[in-house]
Amino acid sequence: MSAWGFTSALLLLGSTLASAALPSEQAPAPPEIIITAHSLVFKNHENTAFFTGKVVMTKGGFIMHADQMIVYFAGEVSTAVPKKEGKPGGHPQAPPADLPMFGNRAVSLIDAIGNVVMQQGDKKAKSRKAVYHQRDEVLVLTGDPEAWEEGYRVTGTKMTMFLKEDRSVVEGSRVVINDTESKLR
């Protein structure tokens, strides 16, 4: 991370799941998510973490920069409080086991806003807003989205990138093939 020149709050969202299955039957743990930013505000009862100032998220080989990011968690906060009749109160829902965990909550959605720039290998993209759906590994770009790789550039009104499948759907698309500008980016 220091290569990006960002020194500030660091949040490591890793998986710490335990399973009763035999090691050969265990599903591989999801890649950890690392987010760095100048500032972090964690709202426990709202199941959100709000990052501001030169935010960088990495997950494996995927890197996303933005002015701010909001991380939404799937699991609920434990609110088990005894009721007057001695019956237990509400119990939190169990978070999905296949998502990276933050305490007792799973990362569900990451909303990146402002000067969003992404890279995965040689593929790059930018937009004003990006919403990353953790479970399906789907990234939705809006606000003048643009994607490029050496030799071509794609623009549109909305881009939906299916990262697991290495495919994209672009609404209002314009493609420039043999684009000389893509080499300069």
Side-chain angles (χ1 to χ4, degrees):
M1 278 297 136
S2 62
W4 294 101
F6 301 124
T7 56
S8 31
L10 170 66
L11 178 63
L12 175 63
L13 302 167
S15 176
T16 57
L17 301 174
S19 174
L22 296 173
S24 62
E25 296 173 6
Q26 287 181 336
E32 64 186 11
I33 296 172
I34 300 172
I35 300 175
T36 59
H38 283 228
S39 175
L40 162 64
V41 175
F42 182 71
K43 296 184 178 182
N44 190 44
H45 293 292
E46 295 177 19
N47 280 330
T48 60
F50 185 73
F51 297 86
T52 57
K54 296 185 178 179
V55 185
V56 180
M57 179 201 84
T58 60
K59 180 182 176 189
F62 177 74
I63 302 169
M64 181 165 51
H65 300 259
D67 293 336
Q68 62 185 23
M69 285 185 197
I70 304 170
V71 176
Y72 297 91
F73 302 104
E76 295 179 13
V77 177
S78 177
T79 58
V81 177
K83 292 185 180 178
K84 289 184 180 179
E85 289 117 24
K87 296 179 184 175
H91 294 286
Q93 292 178 342
D98 60 339
L99 298 178
M101 301 295 291
F102 182 76
N104 63 341
R105 289 169 275 208
V107 175
S108 173
L109 187 84
I110 299 175
D111 195 359
I113 304 159
N115 299 307
V116 182
V117 178
M118 293 135 289
Q119 182 169 355
Q120 186 169 27
D122 292 337
K123 298 175 183 174
K124 298 178 184 177
K126 69 178 185 174
S127 65
R128 288 188 297 228
K129 181 175 171 87
V131 178
Y132 178 66
H133 301 267
Q134 172 67 29
R135 174 173 302 286
D136 302 322
E137 292 190 44
V138 173
L139 185 63
V140 179
L141 309 178
T142 55
D144 301 320
E146 179 178 358
W148 64 93
E149 202 172 352
E150 187 172 334
Y152 76 91
R153 181 170 37 103
V154 180
T155 59
T157 56
K158 178 181 176 184
M159 291 184 184
T160 305
M161 299 177 169
F162 300 88
L163 301 177
K164 282 183 187 177
E165 302 169 27
D166 195 24
R167 74 178 178 97
S168 301
V169 176
V170 182
E171 296 175 21
S173 66
R174 178 176 186 264
V175 179
V176 178
I177 300 172
N178 293 328
D179 182 28
T180 57
E181 286 185 36
S182 66
K183 293 179 185 177
L184 303 174
R185 292 180 186 259

